[in-house]
Amino acid sequence: MKLSIGETISGVVTEIKQVNGIPEEIILSVGGKKKAAIPLTELPEKINGDGQKAVRHLARKYMNRKLIGTIVKTDPLTLSYNNAVKNITTDVKLKVGDEVKATVVWTSKNKAELEYHNIPLYLNASEFGWLKYVDLRSALNRGQKIQVKVINITEDGKVEVSHKMFAPNPWPRYLAKYQTRNQYLARVKSLNKVGIVVSLEPGLDILCAPYPFFDVRVNDDVAVEIVDIDPEHGKMKGFVTALANRA
């Protein structure tokens, strides 16, 4: 397979290369025979800090993911993801208001990256649905296709999208099911400075504050009293009143 500078090819990420603990390149397997490198400078994201934490972040985000790249050097084979995306966007034009079906390629708690014809799209948790508190890591799966609307294109070409208008509104059901002052069984998802985040049901996480006088741990089953239900702002509030699974 003869390759030339300026050609766009694709491969699957099989290695994250680091030197002295500093992440350096993403290595792709091209056609199962050739190896190609994408330097971190040729990716759209800026890696904050170095060390194994940054290397592991890259592994979580890119390992076994298919990426495209424009050849900038043939020996060793070196690609630019940024240039490949720029070349694609000259053929596939997106504008604010466009509605497309995109594929989920990576999620964090508050952000997700999707692709549409290899063009990266960015989704914030606040634009996912009707709830203020949502963990995109549990709400979305890699490879899942969702309908989104382009809501902004930044000066540097970053395409921001929203899924909210395509998500079913759960609030009529929540209002019928939950009442303030009632106690409900929930499971602790996380602990933070503000309070305790619990899951009342799949997809419904609420903040409970202040902390109770007793010790609470992640994955504890607890009793929660609902103190406020606010569909307009997409949230409920409560506080933990008892442990439900520990003596």
Side-chain angles (χ1 to χ4, degrees):
M1 179 169 59
K2 187 177 180 180
L3 300 171
S4 57
I5 291 176
E7 183 179 351
T8 296
I9 60 175
S10 64
V12 175
V13 178
T14 57
E15 179 185 349
I16 308 297
K17 183 178 178 181
Q18 56 82 38
V19 177
N20 297 323
I22 300 174
E24 188 175 83
E25 296 176 329
I26 289 178
I27 307 299
L28 279 64
S29 174
V30 181
K33 297 179 180 180
K34 288 182 177 289
K35 296 287 186 182
I38 300 181
L40 297 193
T41 54
E42 295 298 331
L43 289 171
E45 67 176 306
K46 291 186 181 354
I47 303 299
N48 296 321
D50 51 28
Q52 284 305 110
K53 187 175 181 180
V55 176
R56 290 166 186 162
H57 163 76
L58 290 168
R60 287 191 295 269
K61 184 168 184 178
Y62 291 104
M63 193 65 74
N64 200 34
R65 176 174 160 186
K66 186 177 181 181
L67 289 181
I68 59 172
T70 298
I71 299 173
V72 294
K73 188 188 296 184
T74 56
D75 189 18
L77 186 56
T78 307
L79 312 177
S80 169
Y81 176 76
N82 289 332
N83 288 348
V85 170
K86 288 178 183 176
N87 291 337
I88 288 174
T89 54
T90 61
D91 298 324
V92 181
K93 293 289 187 181
L94 286 175
K95 61 183 183 300
V96 173
D98 283 349
E99 298 177 4
V100 300
K101 184 164 283 191
T103 303
V104 178
V105 294
W106 176 78
T107 59
S108 66
K109 181 179 180 180
N110 299 312
K111 294 181 181 180
E113 185 175 324
L114 302 86
E115 282 186 346
Y116 174 72
H117 291 287
N118 291 308
I119 298 173
L121 313 176
Y122 300 91
L123 174 71
N124 287 321
S126 60
E127 289 295 335
F128 176 71
W130 296 78
L131 295 171
K132 181 176 181 180
Y133 300 106
V134 59
D135 187 339
L136 293 179
R137 293 171 298 186
S138 56
L140 293 171
N141 297 312
R142 189 170 173 178
Q144 181 179 348
K145 294 185 181 296
I146 63 171
Q147 194 78 10
V148 294
K149 181 177 181 178
V150 178
I151 57 173
N152 186 44
I153 300 176
T154 64
E155 290 184 2
D156 59 358
K158 181 178 179 181
V159 181
E160 298 172 344
V161 298
S162 174
H163 176 65
K164 187 180 294 185
M165 62 285 296
F166 305 107
N169 183 358
W171 282 104
R173 183 173 65 83
Y174 292 162
L175 288 170
K177 182 176 181 180
Y178 298 102
Q179 298 178 33
T180 56
R181 296 191 177 185
N182 280 9
Q183 305 280 323
Y184 297 94
L185 179 66
R187 176 157 291 183
V188 176
K189 288 194 68 175
S190 64
L191 310 173
N192 56 47
K193 293 180 180 179
V194 180
I196 302 168
V197 176
V198 305
S199 176
L200 280 175
E201 62 178 75
L204 178 55
D205 297 341
I206 73 169
L207 179 66
C208 294
Y211 271 82
F213 63 87
F214 47 85
D215 179 45
V216 177
R217 304 171 192 169
V218 173
N219 290 326
D220 273 346
D221 291 325
V222 294
V224 169
E225 181 173 322
I226 304 297
V227 297
D228 184 49
I229 301 176
D230 185 358
E232 185 177 348
H233 295 95
K235 61 184 179 180
M236 287 189 200
K237 288 183 180 179
F239 67 90
V240 175
T241 59
L243 290 172
N245 68 334
R246 283 197 276 130

